[in-house]
Amino acid sequence: MIRYITLSISLTFISWIIGMVVNAFLNETAFYQKHLTNLNFVKSTKLNKLIGIGVIKWIVKNTFFKFFNPNLKMKRKIELTELEHLRKEMTFAEINHLIAFIAVAFFAIVKVFNGYFLLALILMVVNILMNLYPSLLQQENKRRIDKLKKLFKTF
């Protein structure tokens, strides 16, 4: 079981690289700009709280994960252009995680067909925690940035 957990964590880290590479190619397409920049799977703040996005947010802010993407920090004094840049960076991180989630999910499905049910289950749990939840967190942050952008435009 420990071997499966270690393998799952390793594969998830590798999936981040896959997500970045695939996203680098997708980023330049019209499909990306039209369909992927405004994904919103969980619109309700209450539901986000219920599924534990706040816990993931705390982990990202207070552990070594905060060093992984320093571009996602907001400065004290902000301008509209900075908000737009930050939103773009968040979208990029969100899509990276979604692509990584799909890659690991595909691997887990293959493992189910090969009869490795426990490995597939552990893979998906780790995948949800390390890929899906960060993507949902980015979506929540983008909604917050959109509210700030609206506020800036009213002044």
CSV table of all heavy atoms in Angstrom, one decimal, residues 12-27 68-69 92-93 95-100:
chain,number,residue,atom,x,y,z
A,12,THR,N,1.7,11.9,-9.9
A,12,THR,CA,1.0,13.2,-9.9
A,12,THR,C,2.0,14.3,-10.2
A,12,THR,O,1.7,15.3,-10.9
A,12,THR,CB,0.2,13.4,-8.6
A,12,THR,OG1,-0.7,12.3,-8.4
A,12,THR,CG2,-0.5,14.7,-8.6
A,13,PHE,N,3.1,14.3,-9.6
A,13,PHE,CA,4.2,15.3,-9.8
A,13,PHE,C,4.6,15.3,-11.3
A,13,PHE,O,4.7,16.3,-11.9
A,13,PHE,CB,5.4,15.1,-8.9
A,13,PHE,CG,5.2,15.7,-7.6
A,13,PHE,CD1,5.0,15.0,-6.5
A,13,PHE,CD2,5.3,17.1,-7.4
A,13,PHE,CE1,4.9,15.6,-5.2
A,13,PHE,CE2,5.2,17.7,-6.2
A,13,PHE,CZ,5.0,16.9,-5.1
A,14,ILE,N,4.7,14.1,-11.9
A,14,ILE,CA,5.1,13.9,-13.3
A,14,ILE,C,3.9,14.5,-14.1
A,14,ILE,O,4.2,15.1,-15.2
A,14,ILE,CB,5.4,12.5,-13.6
A,14,ILE,CG1,6.7,12.0,-13.0
A,14,ILE,CG2,5.4,12.3,-15.1
A,14,ILE,CD1,7.0,10.6,-13.0
A,15,SER,N,2.7,14.3,-13.7
A,15,SER,CA,1.6,14.8,-14.5
A,15,SER,C,1.6,16.3,-14.6
A,15,SER,O,1.1,16.9,-15.5
A,15,SER,CB,0.2,14.3,-13.9
A,15,SER,OG,-0.1,15.0,-12.7
A,16,TRP,N,2.1,17.0,-13.6
A,16,TRP,CA,2.2,18.4,-13.6
A,16,TRP,C,3.1,18.9,-14.8
A,16,TRP,O,2.8,19.8,-15.5
A,16,TRP,CB,2.8,19.0,-12.3
A,16,TRP,CG,1.9,18.9,-11.1
A,16,TRP,CD1,0.6,18.4,-11.1
A,16,TRP,CD2,2.3,19.1,-9.8
A,16,TRP,NE1,0.1,18.4,-9.8
A,16,TRP,CE2,1.1,18.9,-9.0
A,16,TRP,CE3,3.4,19.6,-9.2
A,16,TRP,CZ2,1.1,19.0,-7.6
A,16,TRP,CZ3,3.4,19.7,-7.8
A,16,TRP,CH2,2.2,19.5,-7.0
A,17,ILE,N,4.1,18.1,-15.1
A,17,ILE,CA,5.0,18.4,-16.2
A,17,ILE,C,4.3,18.2,-17.5
A,17,ILE,O,4.3,19.0,-18.4
A,17,ILE,CB,6.3,17.6,-16.1
A,17,ILE,CG1,7.1,18.0,-14.9
A,17,ILE,CG2,7.1,17.8,-17.4
A,17,ILE,CD1,8.2,17.1,-14.6
A,18,ILE,N,3.5,17.1,-17.6
A,18,ILE,CA,2.7,16.8,-18.7
A,18,ILE,C,1.7,17.9,-19.0
A,18,ILE,O,1.5,18.4,-20.1
A,18,ILE,CB,2.0,15.5,-18.6
A,18,ILE,CG1,3.0,14.3,-18.6
A,18,ILE,CG2,0.9,15.3,-19.7
A,18,ILE,CD1,2.4,13.0,-18.2
A,19,GLY,N,1.1,18.4,-17.9
A,19,GLY,CA,0.1,19.5,-18.0
A,19,GLY,C,0.7,20.8,-18.5
A,19,GLY,O,0.1,21.4,-19.3
A,20,MET,N,1.9,21.1,-18.0
A,20,MET,CA,2.6,22.3,-18.5
A,20,MET,C,3.0,22.2,-19.9
A,20,MET,O,2.8,23.2,-20.7
A,20,MET,CB,3.8,22.6,-17.6
A,20,MET,CG,3.5,23.1,-16.3
A,20,MET,SD,5.0,23.5,-15.4
A,20,MET,CE,5.4,22.0,-14.6
A,21,VAL,N,3.4,21.1,-20.4
A,21,VAL,CA,3.8,20.9,-21.8
A,21,VAL,C,2.6,21.0,-22.7
A,21,VAL,O,2.6,21.8,-23.7
A,21,VAL,CB,4.6,19.6,-22.0
A,21,VAL,CG1,4.8,19.3,-23.5
A,21,VAL,CG2,5.9,19.6,-21.3
A,22,VAL,N,1.6,20.3,-22.4
A,22,VAL,CA,0.4,20.3,-23.2
A,22,VAL,C,-0.3,21.7,-23.2
A,22,VAL,O,-0.7,22.2,-24.3
A,22,VAL,CB,-0.6,19.2,-22.8
A,22,VAL,CG1,-1.9,19.3,-23.5
A,22,VAL,CG2,0.0,17.8,-23.0
A,23,ASN,N,-0.3,22.3,-22.1
A,23,ASN,CA,-0.9,23.6,-21.9
A,23,ASN,C,-0.1,24.7,-22.7
A,23,ASN,O,-0.7,25.6,-23.2
A,23,ASN,CB,-1.0,24.0,-20.5
A,23,ASN,CG,-2.0,25.1,-20.2
A,23,ASN,OD1,-2.8,25.5,-21.1
A,23,ASN,ND2,-1.9,25.7,-19.1
A,24,ALA,N,1.2,24.5,-22.8
A,24,ALA,CA,2.0,25.5,-23.5
A,24,ALA,C,1.6,25.5,-25.0
A,24,ALA,O,1.6,26.5,-25.7
A,24,ALA,CB,3.5,25.1,-23.4
A,25,PHE,N,1.3,24.3,-25.5
A,25,PHE,CA,0.8,24.2,-26.9
A,25,PHE,C,-0.6,24.7,-27.1
A,25,PHE,O,-1.0,25.4,-28.0
A,25,PHE,CB,0.9,22.8,-27.5
A,25,PHE,CG,2.3,22.3,-27.7
A,25,PHE,CD1,2.9,21.4,-26.9
A,25,PHE,CD2,3.1,22.9,-28.7
A,25,PHE,CE1,4.2,21.0,-27.1
A,25,PHE,CE2,4.4,22.5,-28.9
A,25,PHE,CZ,4.9,21.5,-28.1
A,26,LEU,N,-1.5,24.4,-26.1
A,26,LEU,CA,-2.9,24.8,-26.2
A,26,LEU,C,-3.1,26.3,-26.0
A,26,LEU,O,-4.0,26.9,-26.5
A,26,LEU,CB,-3.7,24.1,-25.1
A,26,LEU,CG,-4.2,22.7,-25.3
A,26,LEU,CD1,-4.9,22.2,-24.1
A,26,LEU,CD2,-5.1,22.7,-26.5
A,27,ASN,N,-2.2,26.9,-25.2
A,27,ASN,CA,-2.3,28.3,-24.8
A,27,ASN,C,-2.4,29.2,-26.0
A,27,ASN,O,-3.0,30.3,-26.0
A,27,ASN,CB,-1.1,28.7,-24.0
A,27,ASN,CG,-1.3,30.0,-23.3
A,27,ASN,OD1,-2.4,30.5,-23.1
A,27,ASN,ND2,-0.2,30.6,-23.0
A,68,PHE,N,5.9,26.8,-5.5
A,68,PHE,CA,5.8,26.2,-6.8
A,68,PHE,C,5.4,27.2,-7.9
A,68,PHE,O,5.8,27.1,-9.0
A,68,PHE,CB,4.8,25.0,-6.8
A,68,PHE,CG,5.4,23.8,-6.2
A,68,PHE,CD1,4.6,22.7,-6.0
A,68,PHE,CD2,6.7,23.7,-5.8
A,68,PHE,CE1,5.1,21.5,-5.5
A,68,PHE,CE2,7.2,22.5,-5.3
A,68,PHE,CZ,6.4,21.4,-5.1
A,69,ASN,N,4.5,28.1,-7.6
A,69,ASN,CA,4.1,29.1,-8.6
A,69,ASN,C,4.1,30.5,-7.9
A,69,ASN,O,3.0,31.0,-7.6
A,69,ASN,CB,2.8,28.8,-9.2
A,69,ASN,CG,2.6,29.5,-10.5
A,69,ASN,OD1,3.3,30.5,-10.8
A,69,ASN,ND2,1.7,29.0,-11.3
A,92,PHE,N,-3.8,29.7,-16.5
A,92,PHE,CA,-2.7,28.8,-17.0
A,92,PHE,C,-2.5,27.7,-16.0
A,92,PHE,O,-2.4,26.5,-16.3
A,92,PHE,CB,-1.4,29.6,-17.3
A,92,PHE,CG,-0.4,28.8,-18.1
A,92,PHE,CD1,-0.6,28.7,-19.4
A,92,PHE,CD2,0.7,28.3,-17.5
A,92,PHE,CE1,0.3,28.0,-20.2
A,92,PHE,CE2,1.6,27.6,-18.2
A,92,PHE,CZ,1.4,27.4,-19.6
A,93,ALA,N,-2.4,28.0,-14.7
A,93,ALA,CA,-2.2,27.0,-13.6
A,93,ALA,C,-3.4,26.1,-13.5
A,93,ALA,O,-3.2,24.9,-13.4
A,93,ALA,CB,-2.0,27.7,-12.3
A,95,ILE,N,-5.5,25.2,-16.0
A,95,ILE,CA,-5.6,24.3,-17.1
A,95,ILE,C,-4.4,23.3,-17.0
A,95,ILE,O,-4.6,22.1,-17.3
A,95,ILE,CB,-5.5,25.1,-18.4
A,95,ILE,CG1,-6.6,26.1,-18.5
A,95,ILE,CG2,-5.5,24.1,-19.6
A,95,ILE,CD1,-8.0,25.5,-18.4
A,96,ASN,N,-3.3,23.7,-16.5
A,96,ASN,CA,-2.2,22.7,-16.2
A,96,ASN,C,-2.7,21.6,-15.3
A,96,ASN,O,-2.5,20.4,-15.6
A,96,ASN,CB,-1.0,23.4,-15.5
A,96,ASN,CG,-0.1,24.2,-16.4
A,96,ASN,OD1,-0.2,24.2,-17.6
A,96,ASN,ND2,0.7,25.0,-15.8
A,97,HIS,N,-3.4,22.0,-14.2
A,97,HIS,CA,-3.8,21.0,-13.3
A,97,HIS,C,-4.9,20.1,-13.9
A,97,HIS,O,-5.0,18.9,-13.6
A,97,HIS,CB,-4.3,21.6,-12.0
A,97,HIS,CG,-3.3,22.0,-11.1
A,97,HIS,ND1,-2.5,21.0,-10.4
A,97,HIS,CD2,-2.8,23.2,-10.7
A,97,HIS,CE1,-1.6,21.6,-9.6
A,97,HIS,NE2,-1.8,23.0,-9.8
A,98,LEU,N,-5.8,20.7,-14.7
A,98,LEU,CA,-6.9,19.9,-15.4
A,98,LEU,C,-6.3,18.9,-16.3
A,98,LEU,O,-6.7,17.7,-16.4
A,98,LEU,CB,-7.9,20.8,-16.1
A,98,LEU,CG,-8.9,21.5,-15.2
A,98,LEU,CD1,-9.7,22.5,-16.0
A,98,LEU,CD2,-9.7,20.6,-14.4
A,99,ILE,N,-5.3,19.3,-17.1
A,99,ILE,CA,-4.7,18.4,-18.1
A,99,ILE,C,-4.0,17.3,-17.3
A,99,ILE,O,-4.1,16.1,-17.6
A,99,ILE,CB,-3.7,19.1,-19.0
A,99,ILE,CG1,-4.5,20.1,-19.9
A,99,ILE,CG2,-2.8,18.2,-19.8
A,99,ILE,CD1,-3.6,21.1,-20.6
A,100,ALA,N,-3.3,17.6,-16.2
A,100,ALA,CA,-2.6,16.7,-15.4
A,100,ALA,C,-3.6,15.7,-14.8
A,100,ALA,O,-3.4,14.5,-14.7
A,100,ALA,CB,-1.8,17.4,-14.3
